[in-house]
Amino acid sequence: MTTAKFITFEGIDGAGKSTHLAFVADLLRARGKTVVLTREPGGTSLGEALRNILLHEKMHLETEALLMFAARREHIAQVIEPALARGDWVISDRFTDATFAYQGGGRKLERQKLVALEAWVHPHLQPDLTLLFDVPLDVARARLDATRELDKFEQEKADFFAATRAEYLRRADEFPQRFVKIDSTLPIAEIQDYLRDIIAEFDR
Ligand code: TYD
């Protein structure tokens, strides 16, 4: 019997999820898992090419949503499903919740269109565990400004991120069986303790 699991990391830009990806991967490896660490948009050569376009070019909102799902289709076919079939654990830095949050919440694309795309692209695949790194907008903004040159999404205004964050939180309430919310304003060491508990509980 395979125990392969699919874990996703989510949160608005500047929420700090990237800091914790390698930590969780190491926790799982220490528990004897083979871990595939990947990201969206991206994870394949086509997906990375689409990522470059998505993060830097302005486009119609529906084009953006369709390209996110096109990259995802390839990612599922080439990376996620083969890894799970081998019995590996997959950690993806973002997945479909990000499309609901950014294109649905932030950009206000009708949710039903995203539901239809999700049903087309991955009718039978959902994350087993989604770690939602949540922070107030001002904290996220301060972290972003301190660390890097901003891409297309990161240059959005506060109301965009407020709506994105709200949609993430709404989905966490809608799917409580797979979402765990993490208060990302806590010190890194405290978050790591919490992640250790979450993974121990998840992998019993
Ligand atoms: P991100 O994951 O934050 O990577 P980095 O830390 O390197 O900036 O960047 C990906 C961006 O893409 C992020 O701003 C959210 C956005 N995005 C969407 O808008 N929709 C999606 O479906 C996905 C997967 C990402």
Side-chain angles (χ1 to χ4, degrees), residues 13 17 51 68 72 94 99 102-103 148 153-154:
D13 292 277
K17 67 184 167 47
R51 177 188 180 92
M68 290 291 179
R72 182 163 299 132
R94 303 191 185 280
T99 316
Y102 281 78
Q103 282 67 49
R148 52 183 156 188
F153 293 102
E154 291 164 349

Side-chain angles (χ1 to χ4, degrees), residues 15-28:
K17 67 184 167 47
S18 308
T19 312
H20 300 289
L21 275 161
F23 178 76
V24 170
D26 285 345
L27 282 180
L28 290 170

Side-chain angles (χ1 to χ4, degrees), residues 10-14 17-18 39-41 51 54-55 64 68-69 72 93-100 102-103 107 148 151-154 160-161 168:
E10 299 284 359
I12 60 171
D13 292 277
K17 67 184 167 47
S18 308
R39 69 171 181 181
E40 290 204 350
R51 177 188 180 92
L54 280 160
L55 266 52
E64 190 174 279
M68 290 291 179
F69 271 104
R72 182 163 299 132
D93 186 351
R94 303 191 185 280
F95 191 62
T96 296
D97 294 309
T99 316
F100 278 92
Y102 281 78
Q103 282 67 49
R107 298 232 197 280
R148 52 183 156 188
D151 66 36
K152 185 181 88 181
F153 293 102
E154 291 164 349
F160 174 90
F161 284 109
Y168 268 133

Side-chain angles (χ1 to χ4, degrees), residues 3-186:
T3 58
K5 299 280 187 219
F6 179 31
I7 301 176
T8 56
F9 277 55
E10 299 284 359
I12 60 171
D13 292 277
K17 67 184 167 47
S18 308
T19 312
H20 300 289
L21 275 161
F23 178 76
V24 170
D26 285 345
L27 282 180
L28 290 170
R29 289 191 188 105
R31 300 174 74 89
K33 319 294 180 198
T34 302
V35 177
V36 173
L37 199 51
T38 186
R39 69 171 181 181
E40 290 204 350
T44 65
S45 60
L46 175 66
E48 292 294 328
L50 290 172
R51 177 188 180 92
N52 194 33
I53 295 169
L54 280 160
L55 266 52
H56 300 108
E57 281 187 32
K58 283 207 185 334
M59 61 188 76
H60 190 281
L61 153 65
E62 293 189 350
T63 310
E64 190 174 279
L66 288 163
L67 287 181
M68 290 291 179
F69 271 104
R72 182 163 299 132
R73 185 69 194 90
E74 198 63 18
H75 191 210
I76 292 168
Q78 280 196 37
V79 178
I80 299 175
E81 283 183 343
L84 294 172
R86 286 193 302 271
D88 295 352
W89 284 47
V90 177
I91 301 180
S92 187
D93 186 351
R94 303 191 185 280
F95 191 62
T96 296
D97 294 309
T99 316
F100 278 92
Y102 281 78
Q103 282 67 49
R107 298 232 197 280
K108 317 237 176 297
L109 179 61
E110 299 97 287
R111 192 182 296 153
Q112 273 320 307
K113 292 191 172 167
L114 297 176
V115 169
L117 285 171
E118 179 184 37
W120 182 17
V121 169
H122 57 95
H124 306 300
L125 177 72
Q126 285 296 334
D128 298 294
L129 174 66
T130 298
L131 301 174
L132 175 58
F133 291 83
D134 185 54
V135 280
L137 298 193
D138 52 338
V139 177
R141 176 51 58 187
R143 285 180 184 168
L144 278 185
D145 289 343
T147 53
R148 52 183 156 188
E149 220 169 284
L150 303 182
D151 66 36
K152 185 181 88 181
F153 293 102
E154 291 164 349
Q155 287 169 21
E156 288 287 345
K157 301 276 180 303
D159 57 347
F160 174 90
F161 284 109
T164 301
R165 181 186 184 206
E167 177 63 9
Y168 268 133
L169 292 171
R170 194 196 64 75
R171 284 182 74 75
D173 287 343
E174 188 179 357
F175 304 108
Q177 69 287 4
R178 71 174 165 92
F179 266 90
V180 176
K181 273 186 272 183
I182 294 162
D183 174 358
S184 212
T185 61
L186 294 172

